[in-house]
Amino acid sequence: MAISQRLELRQSQSLVMTPQLQQAIKLLQLSNMDLVDYVQQEIEQNPLLDRDDGTGNSSLPETDNTDLHSAAASPSENEKSQPDSLELTNAETLPDSNQAPLDNDFDNYYDSSPDNQWSEDNTSFSNWGPGGNTRFEDASYSLENSLEETKTLRDHLREQLNMEISSPAERIIGIHLIDQVDETGYIRADLEELAAQLGCPIDLLLSVLATLQEFDPAGICARDLAECLAIQLREKNRLDPAIQALLDNLDLLAKRDIKGLRSVCGVDDEDITDMIAEIRGLNPRPAAAFDTSDVETLIPEVIIKSDGKDGWNIELNNDALPKVLLNNKYHGSITDLARTKEDKSYISEQLQSANWLIKALHQRATTVLKVATEIVRQQDGFLKKGVQALKPLTLKDIAEVIEMHESTVSRVTSNKYMVTPRGTFEMKYFFTSSIGGDNGNTHSSEAVRDRIKRLIDEEDHKKILSDDALVTKLKAEGIDIARRTIAKYREALGIPSSVQRRREKKLTL
């Protein structure tokens, strides 16, 4: 075959993930806390960006700032004379509409009345951002500075160690043992290895351990659950041979084998009931009171309120979103001073990056609002009646209505929460699988779980409902469900079997 050169012209289409599109997708899946951190990093890297402190003044002195997120708000006279982000956004700095990955037009009001009309009175979500209502007057104020210092469990134990043990060698052993205490209050380390590491006799280490087990809180420094409970019973002078036998057979108690426990303890029904009640009154996690782990505050992304009639108002949580300012005067001054091609290119890139960040933040806000509004439309019954009215819902159901891809809906609903009259829920909570019913009707799996729990809570102690009985009751209510599915839901809810529930209720009577 002859080899020759030739020119060909071909035309093809392909999807290119531009850096701007990647940024928009990244912002979409961030939680509000992560979004604040991301915007702060952009502010630190881009000299044209600044964060609004709620006073309308930039952190940079003698500069002229324009709020880039209040286009929907009513501007003051001074604001009207200044260009906003829309004026700064032009064809040279932003792409055309074909490159915008997300849809921006959607109402944030849902009316569930029969005419089901959308209101245009509540479509504004202007001024979104932390604003100035939650700030403190003192700029140096820090919440951490006002927190009381919390004594840790190790500090508490070391104080008692210094008072109870005077020997330096035993104190060193005690300190090492205290360092082995885990978050529940147990010492699970190999004591022989620890004695070898310290170079001390194992008897001396066990003697120090016995002293530590007398410390407050009761049950601390135990090596297992049985020893923890025994220490607490000994302190109450209730550790007799019968209850010690019960502690040695906690596996029978876990199985609720009351007959076996009576046999090994050598007591009657009344005594075994009293012993079990006493065991339940003890603390299996003695270190729980000293848990000083940081509690993460849950900040919702969307707030849903009743309109007082038959609908819902859906709005973004203004206090949870960052508010960005563009320093117009600074941009003008450095543009005048730029002489080299590199300087002018740098300023242009930073301006384009700032405008892209503004656009991406706006698209994120409108897309979250769009998805949240459709979720409220679909789950209106849940908001009015509770979890028993939760409808089966998939990402595809939402995506088809708002004309977006399922992956976009998935990103929007990840790590984001909604405040509703029923409580605060992750947006993913409202997406549940369906269970078949009569006449082609479907039921949400979450609603079925709730119904199973309520049936078990209401059951008669003389007639405990088995899984087969639950199947019969649910089928009578139009829910077609298999026995193994009920068993799976029951175990997920932490509900024991009918045999175990029957034993428990006998003990409580």
Side-chain angles (χ1 to χ4, degrees):
M1 185 178 75
I3 299 177
S4 61
Q5 294 182 344
R6 61 179 179 179
L7 293 176
E8 290 185 355
L9 182 62
R10 295 182 181 179
Q11 187 176 14
S12 63
Q13 291 183 342
S14 62
L15 178 63
V16 179
M17 290 288 288
T18 63
Q20 291 81 5
L21 180 57
Q22 293 177 16
Q23 183 189 53
I25 293 175
K26 179 179 180 180
L27 293 182
L28 198 60
Q29 60 192 7
L30 292 179
S31 65
N32 44 24
M33 297 298 291
D34 293 335
L35 181 66
V36 171
D37 293 338
Y38 178 84
V39 170
Q40 183 60 37
Q41 292 176 8
E42 292 294 318
I43 292 174
E44 293 173 357
Q45 296 172 6
N46 194 331
L48 301 181
L49 287 174
D50 195 15
R51 180 186 291 278
D52 183 16
D53 61 359
T55 62
N57 297 322
S58 168
S59 59
L60 298 176
E62 299 181 0
T63 56
D64 182 17
N65 295 303
T66 301
D67 184 353
L68 298 176
H69 290 294
S70 58
S74 299
S76 65
E77 293 301 324
N78 291 334
E79 291 172 336
K80 290 179 180 178
S81 63
Q82 298 175 353
D84 60 14
S85 61
L86 297 180
E87 297 173 16
L88 292 171
T89 304
N90 51 53
E92 296 178 357
T93 58
L94 289 181
D96 57 35
S97 59
N98 294 331
Q99 291 177 282
L102 305 176
D103 183 5
N104 292 337
D105 297 326
F106 206 74
D107 296 333
N108 65 326
Y109 174 81
Y110 173 57
D111 184 0
S112 60
S113 58
D115 53 2
N116 197 18
Q117 296 293 324
W118 294 89
S119 171
E120 298 180 354
D121 298 331
N122 300 282
T123 58
S124 169
F125 53 95
S126 62
N127 250 352
W128 57 276
N133 295 331
T134 57
R135 73 182 192 280
F136 294 89
E137 295 299 331
D138 186 2
S140 63
Y141 177 85
S142 174
L143 179 62
E144 287 78 5
N145 295 338
S146 67
L147 297 178
E148 181 183 358
E149 183 179 358
T150 305
K151 182 185 294 184
T152 65
L153 175 63
R154 284 178 173 79
D155 293 337
H156 183 63
L157 295 176
R158 286 175 180 175
E159 287 180 359
Q160 299 176 78
L161 177 70
N162 293 333
M163 291 187 293
E164 296 294 331
I165 298 179
S166 58
S167 169
E170 293 183 0
R171 280 189 179 181
I172 292 175
I173 297 173
I175 289 174
H176 278 79
L177 287 171
I178 289 173
D179 289 339
Q180 300 298 320
V181 177
D182 62 15
E183 66 277 2
T184 59
Y186 294 86
I187 295 179
R188 305 185 189 275
D190 190 321
L191 298 184
E192 292 186 356
E193 290 184 3
L194 187 58
Q197 179 183 350
L198 296 174
C200 68
I202 183 65
D203 293 340
L204 179 59
L205 187 142
L206 291 175
S207 175
V208 175
L209 176 62
T211 303
L212 295 180
Q213 291 177 347
E214 297 176 357
F215 289 176
D216 176 72
I220 200 69
C221 297
R223 287 165 286 185
D224 54 37
L225 176 61
E227 187 175 41
C228 175
L229 300 177
I231 293 171
Q232 297 178 58
L233 289 169
R234 187 183 301 113
E235 187 176 284
K236 296 180 178 181
N237 197 26
R238 286 288 296 121
L239 190 61
D240 52 40
I243 204 166
Q244 181 63 61
L246 190 151
L247 295 178
D248 293 338
N249 294 273
L250 288 177
D251 56 331
L252 296 178
L253 181 60
K255 297 176 183 177
R256 296 172 175 81
D257 187 354
I258 307 303
K259 183 177 180 181
L261 284 175
R262 286 201 310 266
S263 177
V264 297
C265 295
V267 295
D268 56 19
D269 288 343
E270 183 178 355
D271 287 338
I272 197 67
T273 301
D274 292 340
M275 290 164 61
I276 293 175
E278 193 160 9
I279 292 292
R280 288 178 173 173
L282 302 177
N283 182 11
R285 295 171 59 90
F290 290 86
D291 186 8
T292 57
S293 58
D294 295 333
V295 178
E296 295 184 2
T297 303
L298 188 65
I299 301 179
E301 191 94 8
V302 181
I303 300 175
I304 300 173
K305 299 178 182 178
S306 173
D307 65 350
K309 298 177 182 178
D310 200 27
W312 308 98
N313 288 328
I314 304 103
E315 59 187 23
L316 295 175
N317 183 6
N318 295 339
D319 295 334
L321 298 173
K323 202 172 187 181
V324 181
L325 300 174
L326 180 65
N327 196 317
N328 295 329
K329 191 172 182 179
Y330 180 66
H331 171 255
S333 63
I334 62 175
T335 301
D336 295 338
L337 295 175
R339 296 292 182 266
T340 66
K341 182 179 180 181
E342 290 77 11
D343 292 342
K344 294 180 180 179
S345 176
Y346 173 76
I347 295 172
S348 177
E349 289 175 0
Q350 296 304 313
L351 179 61
Q352 184 175 2
S353 176
N355 284 323
W356 260 111
L357 178 62
I358 303 308
K359 185 179 181 67
L361 289 173
H362 178 73
Q363 288 177 333
R364 178 188 184 277
T366 53
T367 305
V368 170
L369 197 62
K370 188 174 183 179
V371 173
T373 302
E374 184 57 30
I375 290 176
V376 171
R377 183 202 294 268
Q378 298 277 2
Q379 300 293 2
D380 177 63
F382 165 79
L383 297 174
K384 291 181 177 179
K385 301 178 182 179
V387 68
Q388 65 271 16
L390 194 66
K391 291 173 53 180
L393 188 64
T394 64
L395 296 174
K396 185 178 180 181
D397 297 334
I398 299 293
E400 288 179 348
V401 175
I402 65 176
E403 298 181 350
M404 288 187 177
H405 196 271
E406 291 179 45
S407 61
T408 302
V409 179
S410 178
R411 291 186 181 97
V412 170
T413 55
S414 297
N415 303 317
K416 297 178 183 64
Y417 294 82
M418 299 170 60
V419 173
T420 74
R422 296 285 174 184
T424 302
F425 300 90
E426 187 178 9
M427 293 178 75
K428 289 284 189 185
Y429 171 81
F430 297 98
F431 296 90
T432 61
S433 57
S434 61
I435 294 178
D438 296 339
N439 301 322
N441 296 326
T442 58
H443 304 271
S444 167
S445 58
E446 195 68 29
V448 173
R449 286 191 186 95
D450 179 72
R451 182 57 182 153
I452 291 172
K453 184 178 184 303
R454 287 190 290 116
L455 285 173
I456 292 176
D457 291 341
E458 297 168 359
E459 66 185 356
D460 188 351
H461 68 276
K462 295 181 180 179
K463 190 176 182 182
I464 303 299
L465 296 174
S466 64
D467 291 345
D468 290 325
L470 290 172
V471 169
T472 303
K473 283 184 171 292
L474 291 175
K475 284 189 175 181
E477 297 178 5
I479 302 174
D480 187 10
I481 188 172
R483 186 189 64 80
R484 61 179 179 275
T485 306
I486 285 185
K488 181 179 70 174
Y489 287 174
R490 178 176 49 74
E491 291 172 359
L493 292 169
I495 300 175
S497 65
S498 58
V499 176
Q500 293 173 321
R501 298 201 307 275
R502 187 176 293 108
R503 290 173 179 171
E504 283 183 348
K505 297 203 173 183
K506 282 183 179 180
L507 291 175
T508 57
L509 295 177

